[in-house]
Amino acid sequence: MSKCCFLCNNKDVTVEKLSIFLTVIEYSEVFAEVASNRIYGSRGKWLTVILLHLVKFATRLLLLLKYNQGLHHSPLIPPLNRKKDLPELCRQSGNTEPLPENYSNPNVQVTFTLRTSGRVVRTVNAAPPLVSRSWQLPKIDEESCRTSPKSPSILSGKVLTGEILHIVRPLIHLASLGAFGEFSWKPFFIAMGIDVTSLHLLKQKHDFNKAEKLEINRRALSLLLYLLRSPFYNQYSKDRIINILQSTSDRIIGSGLLLRPLMEYIPEWQQQYFYAWSS
């Protein structure tokens, strides 16, 4: 199997397992941290945080340098969109399952939503005959793989350096927290400088695919999260955010049902999600 087809179809077992492993860590790291904090205290909490970020850094670096998986997306494995992904999957040429004759007809409904559960499933008309179903993913030929806009870009030079900076930034931030303290301005500006430098280097490449451009835009917008990160949050934005929410809750009838619980949860969210800066 050629390298191009390997990247396009994601059939390499190691890459798939690493991606799943990394996604599981990203979804469960907060629960692991909270559990270790309750069982082992502050030392156990920080030890868990450091170990998790070391594992994430090693996995991301392996996917980037050895398997050429391009930009790291968050989340690495996006949730399945049945309405969008299923029709595209079935329309691909070379499908191992024969499609029904009327499938190409745009009037044929491909999916429907169950009334009780809301689950989206494929209709019987959009499925191949029962005797010929293999339940395997469709095959994509190598030529279509070369032109696939979803293939990850190969990074090199300054662009590769920018992506490595993005990957290593959580570890550098944790190290600076240990060196200068949790509420020091130095870790704040160090992390911000790394983020800005990484984006500047990545934007020197102009032929990213659509998904990668969206990821770069997401990273640029995530700079707004610095408003919720210590020590800026504790000294400047905390009181302003609470005052805005309180004022809105008092002036707009019914908004308090949503905004008052939000005001109570913001400090807890800020403490759990915005100090390690892994997003």
Side-chain angles (χ1 to χ4, degrees):
M1 182 182 296
S2 65
K3 183 178 181 180
C4 173
C5 198
F6 157 76
L7 290 173
C8 183
N9 292 325
N10 194 25
K11 289 185 177 180
D12 186 88
V13 177
T14 304
V15 172
E16 184 178 1
K17 289 184 177 180
L18 287 175
S19 300
I20 295 174
F21 173 70
L22 188 55
T23 303
V24 171
I25 291 180
E26 291 179 345
Y27 279 125
S28 60
E29 58 183 338
V30 173
F31 299 101
E33 174 196 332
V34 173
S36 60
N37 185 36
R38 291 191 175 185
I39 297 174
Y40 303 107
S42 179
R43 287 190 176 183
K45 163 191 168 180
W46 286 108
L47 180 61
T48 301
V49 171
I50 293 172
L51 290 177
L52 287 175
H53 280 284
L54 284 172
V55 172
K56 289 167 62 177
F57 168 74
T59 306
R60 290 175 179 177
L61 200 63
L62 187 63
L63 289 171
L64 174 64
L65 298 181
K66 184 175 181 179
Y67 297 103
N68 296 321
Q69 292 301 294
L71 295 183
H72 172 77
H73 296 265
S74 182
L76 188 59
I77 300 179
L80 177 63
N81 186 339
R82 292 178 178 272
K83 288 185 177 181
K84 178 181 177 182
D85 298 337
L86 184 59
E88 292 181 359
L89 193 64
C90 293
R91 287 192 177 96
Q92 291 174 356
S93 60
N95 197 324
T96 56
E97 296 182 354
L99 297 177
E101 295 180 357
N102 60 353
Y103 187 80
S104 59
N105 187 347
N107 295 324
V108 176
Q109 186 178 4
V110 178
T111 62
F112 69 96
T113 304
L114 299 178
R115 294 182 179 180
T116 305
S117 64
R119 184 179 180 87
V120 179
V121 297
R122 182 169 60 178
T123 63
V124 176
N125 292 333
L130 182 62
V131 295
S132 59
R133 294 178 190 173
S134 63
W135 306 107
Q136 295 179 357
L137 292 176
K139 295 180 180 179
I140 304 176
D141 58 9
E142 188 170 335
E143 184 64 28
S144 64
C145 180
R146 290 194 183 98
T147 59
S148 173
K150 296 184 179 180
S151 299
S153 301
I154 305 300
L155 308 183
S156 61
K158 293 182 179 180
V159 180
L160 178 61
T161 302
E163 182 63 13
I164 293 176
L165 283 175
H166 176 76
I167 293 174
V168 77
R169 186 255 294 146
L171 286 179
I172 295 178
H173 177 252
L174 287 173
S176 60
L177 283 179
F180 304 111
E182 186 174 353
F183 298 101
S184 172
W185 282 97
K186 292 181 180 179
F188 182 90
F189 287 115
I190 289 174
M192 180 184 290
I194 294 176
D195 271 334
V196 173
T197 303
S198 173
L199 284 172
H200 174 72
L201 294 175
L202 289 174
K203 288 185 177 181
Q204 294 185 13
K205 183 178 176 64
H206 303 288
D207 57 347
F208 285 116
N209 61 44
K210 182 179 179 180
E212 291 169 336
K213 290 179 180 178
L214 290 175
E215 172 62 20
I216 292 177
N217 291 335
R218 185 198 68 80
R219 294 182 187 181
L221 289 175
S222 68
L223 292 176
L224 295 174
L225 294 178
Y226 279 87
L227 298 176
L228 297 175
R229 287 169 171 160
S230 300
F232 189 91
Y233 170 80
N234 302 88
Q235 298 187 21
Y236 295 101
S237 59
K238 178 180 179 179
D239 293 337
R240 289 175 172 82
I241 293 174
I242 297 298
N243 290 336
I244 291 174
L245 293 177
Q246 184 65 52
S247 177
T248 304
S249 175
D250 295 338
R251 294 180 181 180
I252 301 178
I253 299 176
S255 61
L257 295 175
L258 175 64
L259 298 183
R260 289 193 184 95
L262 181 62
M263 286 185 287
E264 296 177 0
Y265 286 128
I266 281 180
E268 189 69 23
W269 288 340
Q270 194 275 337
Q271 183 180 6
Q272 295 296 337
Y273 289 95
F274 293 104
Y275 67 90
W277 306 15
S278 59
S279 60

